[in-house]
Amino acid sequence: MPDQRLGPEVALNALVVKNLIYWFGHMFINATIYMGVIAVYELLPRYTGKPYGISRPFLWSWAASTVFVIIVFPHHLLMDYAEPRWMLVMGQIISYAAGFPVFLVTAYGVLTNIHRSGMRWKMPSMLAVLALFGWAAGIVPAIIDGTIHVNQVMHNTQWVPGHFHFYLLLGVLPMILTLLYHVVGSRRRAPVNSAADRTGLFLYVVGGISFCMVFLYAGHLSVARRYAIHLSEWVPSDRVGSVAAMVLILGMLVFVARIIAGLLKAPADADASHPAG
């Protein structure tokens, strides 16, 4: 229960408060993804040379997803016997439906935008494609976990952090990196397709996919979430995950170093107006 010292006379329903917490958390993370994908919509056409198609199905899909994301959160509460049955049923049905409208139009739009475009495979465009892959891959274990009978077994295992790390590490962060690398690439004497950049991308992809797959595999083994001490049978996957995390962090450190170095350079316009002596 939340602290009621500011209003002790107010009686709070514990189940309602719990639902509001999950409602906020689920919408917050989805809003992060939906805001981040704007970078893909805006920047990818600059590398393909083709406009990104906006159609009625695209707009209706986003409208449907806006509604779905508000009411899909009960799929986190499927193990809660105290929940009204209709909310649990809604959680499962909307879990199946929520991922498809936006994902399908986005995947279709990105693939058609890339097809026969002669796209320049630079860091921003490669990161944009990685972001769409991470978003797509994260949807699959999420939908599986949104099935009541699977959820009763898997939801308190590391399967769940496996799916949302796919969203975050391989979806949201590459969207942000797409924008940052594009900004850096717009500055003179700040190339964003160097060997260091490609090495960082390789480390990030290998480390990120390995890290997420270890989580999913641990969930398959029924390794519980949030345990401070693990059974000896769970330790091997922990160690593999730790190595994958180190590879992932190393790749991110390369990104950070390259982006900071690029941002410290003068913008192209300023550079042109103040040529080096």
Side-chain angles (χ1 to χ4, degrees):
M1 288 291 292
D3 193 335
Q4 290 184 250
R5 285 177 293 184
L6 296 178
E9 72 284 355
V10 178
L12 297 176
N13 182 291
L15 187 60
V16 172
V17 172
K18 175 183 178 180
N19 284 2
L20 289 175
I21 291 171
Y22 277 93
W23 179 61
F24 167 79
H26 193 271
M27 282 207 301
F28 185 82
I29 186 57
N30 275 273
T32 305
I33 299 172
Y34 293 171
M35 294 300 101
V37 77
I38 294 172
V40 177
Y41 291 156
E42 175 64 26
L43 297 178
L44 189 62
R46 303 189 185 196
Y47 295 87
T48 62
K50 295 168 59 178
Y52 197 98
I54 303 298
S55 61
R56 289 182 182 272
F58 179 90
L59 297 175
W60 276 111
S61 294
W62 269 110
S65 184
T66 301
V67 176
F68 287 161
V69 77
I70 298 173
I71 59 178
V72 72
F73 75 97
H75 68 198
H76 289 285
L77 307 170
L78 296 177
M79 300 180 72
D80 195 335
Y81 67 89
E83 291 293 333
R85 184 176 180 83
W86 68 268
M87 287 190 66
L88 303 183
V89 173
M90 179 181 70
Q92 174 164 333
I93 294 174
I94 302 301
S95 291
Y96 287 157
F100 290 106
V102 168
F103 167 66
L104 287 178
V105 298
T106 300
Y108 176 79
V110 167
L111 291 176
T112 54
N113 194 258
I114 293 175
H115 182 62
R116 294 183 177 179
S117 67
M119 182 170 73
R120 296 175 294 147
W121 287 98
K122 295 183 177 293
M123 284 297 292
S125 56
M126 290 189 287
L127 285 164
V129 173
L130 172 62
L132 266 297
F133 162 76
W135 190 14
I139 285 176
V140 177
I143 292 176
I144 292 173
D145 185 61
T147 305
I148 290 178
H149 288 294
V150 175
N151 188 279
Q152 290 175 338
V153 178
M154 302 290 283
H155 197 71
N156 276 345
T157 72
Q158 291 192 359
W159 180 271
V160 173
H163 102 72
F164 66 66
H165 275 82
F166 250 115
Y167 282 149
L168 295 174
L169 291 176
L170 299 172
V172 177
L173 281 177
M175 293 174 188
I176 297 170
L177 290 168
T178 297
L179 174 60
L180 291 174
Y181 260 101
H182 176 77
V183 171
V184 169
S186 67
R187 296 172 179 241
R188 299 186 65 182
R189 299 195 303 273
V192 294
N193 211 31
S194 66
D197 293 315
R198 290 178 175 272
T199 300
L201 181 62
F202 175 80
L203 293 172
Y204 190 84
V205 171
V206 172
I209 292 177
S210 301
F211 185 69
C212 295
M213 293 305 295
V214 168
F215 266 129
L216 295 174
Y217 178 70
H220 172 70
L221 296 178
S222 297
V223 178
R225 301 164 65 185
R226 309 186 186 97
Y227 274 32
I229 300 175
H230 278 192
L231 301 175
S232 59
E233 295 87 346
W234 300 346
V235 172
S237 64
D238 294 345
R239 290 173 175 169
V240 175
S242 297
V243 173
M246 288 188 285
V247 175
L248 172 71
I249 292 170
L250 183 59
M252 179 56 77
L253 289 175
V254 174
F255 290 156
V256 169
R258 295 284 297 153
I259 289 170
I260 290 177
L263 292 176
L264 291 175
K265 296 181 181 298
D269 292 339
D271 206 56
S273 60
H274 297 87

